[in-house]
Amino acid sequence: MEKRSKATNGIPTSRLTLGAADGGARDRVDRVDRDRVDRVDPYGFERSKDFDFESYEELMSEYLVVLTRRSIKWSKLLKGRGKVEKNLKLKRYVRKGIPNEHRSLIWMAASGAQEQLEKNPGYYQSLLGAQHDHKLVEAICTDLNRTFPDNIQFQKTSSPCLQKALHNVLLAYGHHNPTVGYCQGMNFIAGYLLIITKDEEKSFWLMEALIGRILPDYYSPAMLGLKTDQEVLGELVKARVPGVWQTMAEHNVMWTLVVSRWFICLYIDILPTETVLRIWDCLFYEGSKILFRVALTLIHRNQTLIQQARSLPDVCQSFKEITHGPFVDKCHTLMQKIFTEPGSLSMSTISKLRATCRARIVAEES
């Protein structure tokens, strides 16, 4: 996968605050910073040669203020505590973004992963110490070098290299849930978890929370949960953005063709890094309805572009285009919009649509 890197947390502020009068010194610092720091983003992803530093700095000059303000509020909220309880205030804070230094703690608490870890001491290590399935090991090893090759933390020359930790998390999960085992897409999810937690066991239990509870049947052999949710999105679009649904129907475009990667990779490699992490903040706290909110917002905001499509390839191209540009780069604005533009979207509504769509899929495949 090609990684689109537009992360924000942790960006050095020196280039944003140097005075104009110090032109020569500023130029020298710019060159040093770009060579030393800006080659990679705060999460280890290498930036492309055509990376737009000017636009990025303009974006960051605004977002750094938001990050600083949120970090102060989170520090006051947590007050050094190692545990948190879910409540309306915490939910509001999560929607506005979790500072990177607190993400691991909040993800673990909100998803139930911390509770499972504490209930099962030594379980993760026991999975690694068990006899391993040869086919599972082979499948995982095949994808290791394909996992974020443009992230310096996953390169064999890095110290430490996260490839070994990635291998362990995927192997342990494959033995924990043999029905799922391992399938493509899981490596990128585990990789993101490791980048944030820097901890194998925590990443394992967050994987268990995602695949076992938040996204059931997404990664099972039949992928019935994934197929169902793609159809659920179609039903939501039919009701809320009927013009787009009509365009899809006219050109006989199946939803799986344009949104399957959105769902199975949880927007990894679809949206910029920091935007993905902001989505995951809410995903771990509020569940899978967040995936629909993001999709509906992207589709609703770009309905005119999609409806201009005159063929199946045009539709597919428009769905690629709507995941690029200033709107998705400005993660704070996007996250505000996903809770307003799609309107009300309860889990009861999604559950009813899932039941209907699942029954239809099962009938069609039987």
Side-chain angles (χ1 to χ4, degrees), residues 90-243:
L90 185 61
K91 179 180 179 179
R92 189 172 71 250
Y93 271 48
V94 169
R95 286 186 173 188
K96 292 182 178 180
I98 306 171
N100 206 41
E101 63 267 27
H102 301 308
R103 272 200 166 111
S104 180
L105 169 67
I106 302 302
W107 287 5
M108 291 290 290
S111 66
Q114 184 64 38
E115 181 182 2
Q116 290 301 310
L117 185 155
E118 293 172 0
K119 283 183 177 179
N120 297 277
Y123 179 64
Y124 175 72
Q125 291 300 328
S126 72
L127 291 170
L128 293 180
Q131 185 173 356
H132 302 316
D133 179 272
H134 175 70
K135 290 184 178 179
L136 175 65
V137 173
E138 187 177 19
I140 292 170
C141 288
T142 298
D143 277 353
L144 283 181
N145 289 328
R146 302 173 184 171
T147 307
F148 303 136
D150 57 346
N151 188 300
I152 60 173
Q153 299 182 78
F154 288 88
Q155 293 170 3
K156 291 180 179 179
T157 54
S158 67
S159 181
C161 174
L162 288 182
Q163 272 200 11
K164 177 60 176 176
L166 178 63
H167 174 271
N168 287 346
V169 171
L170 294 172
L171 184 63
Y173 190 82
H175 286 299
H176 167 72
N177 189 347
T179 302
V180 171
Y182 171 77
C183 74
Q184 288 186 334
M186 289 170 59
N187 55 323
F188 295 101
I189 292 171
Y192 253 52
L193 293 173
L194 284 166
I195 288 170
I196 296 303
T197 67
K198 298 293 190 293
D199 185 288
E200 288 184 24
E201 190 171 13
K202 288 181 179 179
S203 296
F204 166 80
W205 285 112
L206 285 169
M207 283 276 288
E208 198 277 333
L210 279 172
I211 297 174
R213 298 193 300 280
I214 298 174
L215 306 169
D217 292 334
Y218 264 45
Y219 304 92
S220 62
M223 291 188 164
L224 185 55
L226 177 66
K227 294 175 184 176
T228 298
D229 279 3
Q230 290 169 170
E231 293 304 308
V232 169
L233 177 62
E235 294 298 320
L236 290 170
V237 171
K238 184 177 182 179
R240 302 179 184 215
V241 202

